[in-house]
Amino acid sequence: MTRPLTLLALVALVAVACQKPEGKPADGTAEKSATAATAGETAGKAGPANAAGEGVDAAVRVSECPKSLGGTDKVHRVISKDCGVVPVTEDYYVDGGSLTLEAGSSLSFKDGTGLYVGYYESAKLIVQGTAEAPVVLTAAGDKAAGVWRGVSLNEHAARSTIDGLVIEYAGNDESALYVAAADVSVKSSKIRDAKGTGLLIADSGTLAAFTDNELKKLGSKTAIAGPASAVGGLGAGNRFDPEAHILVRGGNLNKSATWLPAGAPLVIGGEVYVDGTEGQAAKLELTAGLELRFGEAGSLVVGYYNQAALAVKGTAEAPVTFTAHEKREAGGWGGVTVHGKGEATIEQAVFEFGGRDESNGVLAVRGGSIGLKASTFRSDKAGVSVDEGSRVTAFADNKFAATPVAALLTANHVMALAESNAYDRDSRIKITGAAAIKGKATWQAQGVPIEWAGELYIDGELTLAGGVALLGQPDARLVVGYYDTAALLVKGTAAAPVTIGPADTANNSWIGISLAGKASGSSLENLVLTGASADAAIDVAGGVSATLSAVTCSKCKNAVVGWACGATVTSSQVLAADGTPKVDVRPEGC
C-alpha cells in the first residue's frame, strides 16, 4: 500500500508558512518558504550579519529598552511593559539567545517584516502575558490583515513558551504563527485579523500545550494546519470562527496520543497511519465530542506495519463523529481500516457519508480486531466489513440507518452479532468470503435478512434462533456435515419462525438444505422455506437422522423433504403451501 500525504484541495493554497521577506540576508542564506503541502521542510530565515544587540556577549542578559529592533539578536533579551511599544523596523531574528516578552510589553512591526526564532542556533521565545496585561505583536502602520509577516518558531526554537500573547494583522497569505520546533506551548493567546491561516505546524513541529486560545477573524477557514503527529498537543478551551476547522494533513502516528475536542472539527486531508515502531505499539484515543471530517482522500489506517490500537470513547450525549467534509453523501469518504496488526474498540461513535461502495464498509477490518458497541451508521454505502482472519470481540447495540449494506461478514463472524442491533427495514447483512461454519455458533435474529451466495458449509453446530431470516442467491445452499460431523438446529417459534427464502426477487429461488453424510442430530422447528428449487427443499442423506416440526415450504419447486435409503426422518406438521407440489419424496427400492 502506498502512503501518500494527500491534502484537501480547498486548503492547499491557504495554509502557507511564514515566508522570508524579499531580499537575502547578509550571509546569502536561502529564506524560509513553506506551504501547507510542504510544511515538513525546514522553514525560516537565516539572520543577517548586523543585529540589534550586536557586539554583546550571548551569555549576557539584556534588559535595557531598545529604541528599535531588527537584524539578529544573539543575546538573552528581555522587554518589559516599561519599554512602551517597541518598533521592529526590519526582520528580527533570534538565534543563539532568547527573547522574553514580559506582561504588558508590545512590539509593532513595519510592513512586510517578521519575527524569526531558532533558525540556525538554539533559541527561545518566552512570552509572559496575562489576561490583564497581554503581550501584543501588531502592525506599525495600517491596521489591516497581513501587513506584517508574523512569528516563525523554527526547528531550533524547541520548548518556546507563549502565554497571553496577541498576534494581530499578520501573515499575508501565510500563517500568522508558524511552528517547526518541538514542544512549543501556546496558552491563553489570541491570533486575530490574520490574512490567512492562524497557526501552521510543520512536520517537525509539536505542541506541548495549546489551550484557551482564540483564533478569530482569519482570512482562511483553516484556522490550524498540521500533521497528525501534532494533533495530540491540541487541548481544550480554544475558540474559533463559526466555520473554522483544523486541517490534519495526514502522516504517521508512531507514538501513543489522545485527541481531544479542540474547539473546531478536525479535517483529515490525507492518510493518517496509526502504526507503532518495532517492539513498541502505538495507541490513538479519540475522546467524547470529537468530530473528524474526512476529505475524499482522507482515511484512518490502524496497524498496517506495526502493532497499533484505536480506542474511540464517545458518550450518548457526545459521540465521536466520523463524517465527510466536502461530499456529504454516501461514499463521500473512504473509511477507517483496521489491519492485521491493529485492534479497535469503538463505543458511542457515529459513522456517516462513508464507504466507497457496497463491498467495503466505512469501518473495515482486514485481519485486525474490532469491538463495536452503541454506535450509529447512517447514510453510508456500507457499514462494517470484516474479512476472514479478523476477530470480532463485540457487536452490540449498534444502529444502521439509510445504509443498504449494514455489515459484510464471513460466516464465522455472524455469531458475533448480538440481537440488540437495529436496522432500517431495507438494510441487509451479507456473508462474504469462504462460507464455512466451524465449531459451535448461534445466529441471533437481527430484524433484517442475512444474505449469502453459493454453498454455505456447516462443519460444526449452527443454531438459528427464532426470528432469524436468511436470503439465498439462486446458487445458495446450506450444506450440513459434508466434511465433518455437524448439526443444524433451527429453533424458531410460532410467533418468530426462522425463514429462508430467495434474495433475488427476479429469479425468486435458491437451492435448499442438504443434510449430508456426516450430519447428525439436526432438528428443524418452526421453519418457513420459500422458493427452494431442489428436488427436495430439505434433502437428507442415507444414514442421517433429522427431526422436522412445523416446517412449511411455500412456492417451492418440488417436495418439502426427501431422504435416501437408511435415513431416519421424524416429522410433524410439515406443510406444502402456495404451489409446492408435495410434502415428501420417499426413497424407492430400500
Side-chain angles (χ1 to χ4, degrees):
M1 174 181 289
T2 58
R3 301 169 66 168
L5 189 64
T6 313
L7 295 182
L8 292 176
L10 64 93
V11 294
L13 299 178
V14 177
V16 184
C18 300
Q19 295 185 358
K20 288 172 59 179
E22 295 180 1
K24 293 183 178 180
D27 61 5
T29 309
E31 298 182 353
K32 179 190 75 167
S33 176
T35 64
T38 59
E41 300 174 1
T42 301
K45 178 184 175 187
N50 61 333
E54 180 181 7
V56 181
D57 191 288
V60 174
R61 174 185 169 94
V62 177
S63 57
E64 292 84 357
C65 293
K67 292 182 179 180
S68 65
L69 292 170
T72 298
D73 246 346
K74 291 183 177 289
V75 298
H76 299 295
R77 183 174 296 280
V78 179
I79 297 177
S80 71
K81 67 177 180 179
D82 295 335
C83 296
V85 179
V86 178
V88 180
T89 57
E90 60 179 309
D91 286 327
Y92 179 34
Y93 308 88
V94 180
D95 261 317
S98 65
L99 174 64
T100 299
L101 301 174
E102 294 183 341
S105 62
S106 181
L107 306 182
S108 64
F109 288 77
K110 181 182 177 181
D111 290 8
T113 62
L115 172 60
Y116 304 90
V117 182
Y119 186 82
Y120 280 123
E121 300 178 53
S122 293
K124 284 185 181 179
L125 174 64
I126 302 167
V127 178
Q128 300 173 335
T130 66
E132 297 76 19
V135 173
V136 178
L137 305 184
T138 189
D142 293 339
K143 305 303 182 184
V147 296
W148 65 285
R149 287 186 175 269
V151 179
S152 291
L153 301 178
N154 295 297
E155 289 189 356
H156 298 292
R159 294 173 297 284
S160 290
T161 59
I162 296 174
D163 204 335
L165 174 64
V166 175
I167 300 176
E168 58 186 11
Y169 310 118
N172 291 334
D173 292 327
E174 309 152 357
S175 62
L177 175 61
Y178 173 80
V179 175
D183 297 329
V184 172
S185 174
V186 183
K187 298 179 180 179
S188 303
S189 296
K190 295 180 180 181
I191 299 175
R192 64 193 182 201
D193 294 297
K195 191 172 183 179
T197 297
L199 168 63
L200 176 62
I201 308 170
D203 288 352
S204 59
T206 59
L207 297 172
F210 190 90
T211 58
D212 299 313
N213 301 297
E214 182 174 288
L215 286 75
K216 290 189 174 181
K217 298 182 181 179
L218 306 180
S220 170
K221 292 181 181 179
T222 302
I224 300 173
S229 55
V231 177
L234 298 175
N238 302 298
R239 302 170 299 283
F240 300 88
D241 288 325
E243 296 184 2
H245 62 256
I246 298 166
L247 173 65
V248 183
R249 294 192 297 267
N252 300 331
L253 279 175
N254 297 322
K255 297 180 180 179
S256 294
T258 299
W259 289 6
L260 304 169
L266 302 181
V267 172
I268 312 299
E271 292 179 323
V272 175
Y273 281 80
V274 184
D275 265 317
T277 56
E278 191 169 345
Q280 182 65 50
K283 179 180 180 180
L284 174 61
E285 182 175 325
L286 305 181
T287 58
L290 188 66
E291 181 178 355
L292 295 89
R293 298 180 180 178
F294 290 78
E296 289 193 62
S299 63
L300 181 60
V301 182
V302 182
Y304 186 81
Y305 289 108
N306 295 298
Q307 297 296 323
L310 173 66
V312 179
K313 298 182 177 181
T315 66
E317 298 76 20
V320 175
T321 300
F322 300 80
T323 189
H325 179 57
E326 301 152 311
K327 189 178 177 183
R328 295 182 68 78
E329 60 185 53
W333 63 287
V336 176
T337 307
V338 185
H339 286 281
K341 295 185 178 180
E343 61 180 57
T345 55
I346 300 173
E347 189 163 357
Q348 295 287 359
V350 174
F351 291 82
E352 60 184 11
F353 306 125
R356 291 300 185 200
D357 52 51
E358 292 189 2
S359 299
N360 295 281
V362 65
L363 175 59
V365 187
R366 297 176 180 169
S369 172
I370 182 70
L372 182 65
K373 295 181 180 179
S375 294
T376 298
F377 295 78
R378 60 189 179 214
S379 299
D380 300 304
K381 285 198 172 179
V384 183
S385 58
V386 181
D387 289 354
E388 191 75 43
S390 302
R391 300 171 304 284
V392 180
T393 59
F395 200 112
D397 302 312
N398 302 299
K399 297 179 181 179
F400 298 83
T403 299
V405 180
L408 299 108
L409 309 168
T410 69
N412 280 305
H413 289 127
V414 176
M415 66 178 179
L417 300 178
E419 60 182 334
S420 56
N421 300 298
Y423 309 82
D424 274 355
R425 178 179 295 180
D426 296 332
S427 193
R428 292 285 188 275
I429 297 165
K430 290 188 176 182
I431 294 175
T432 62
I437 301 291
K438 303 288 186 181
K440 282 190 173 185
T442 298
W443 291 4
Q444 302 290 346
Q446 297 298 304
V448 294
I450 300 169
E451 185 177 310
W452 92 101
E455 292 181 323
L456 172 53
Y457 286 91
I458 300 168
D459 290 311
E461 182 181 286
L462 175 61
T463 299
L464 302 180
V468 167
L470 304 182
L471 294 180
Q473 293 293 338
D475 62 347
R477 176 165 54 181
L478 294 179
V479 182
V480 184
Y482 187 85
Y483 293 106
D484 295 299
T485 301
L488 174 63
L489 305 177
V490 176
K491 296 187 176 181
T493 66
V498 172
T499 62
I500 307 177
D504 185 346
T505 55
N507 187 285
N508 208 32
S509 70
W510 61 290
I511 295 175
I513 299 172
S514 175
L515 302 181
K518 293 185 178 181
S520 176
S522 293
S523 173
L524 315 180
E525 184 176 357
N526 284 295
L527 171 64
V528 177
L529 306 175
T530 304
S533 63
D535 289 342
I538 303 168
D539 182 46
V540 185
V544 173
S545 62
T547 301
L548 281 63
S549 176
V551 175
T552 299
C553 203
S554 174
K555 299 180 182 178
C556 295
K557 185 177 180 180
N558 296 296
V560 180
V561 60
W563 59 91
C565 292
T568 302
V569 177
T570 304
S571 63
S572 64
Q573 295 180 297
V574 176
L575 302 176
D578 293 331
T580 302
K582 49 189 171 181
V583 169
D584 57 39
V585 178
R586 298 171 183 265
E588 297 180 359
C590 297

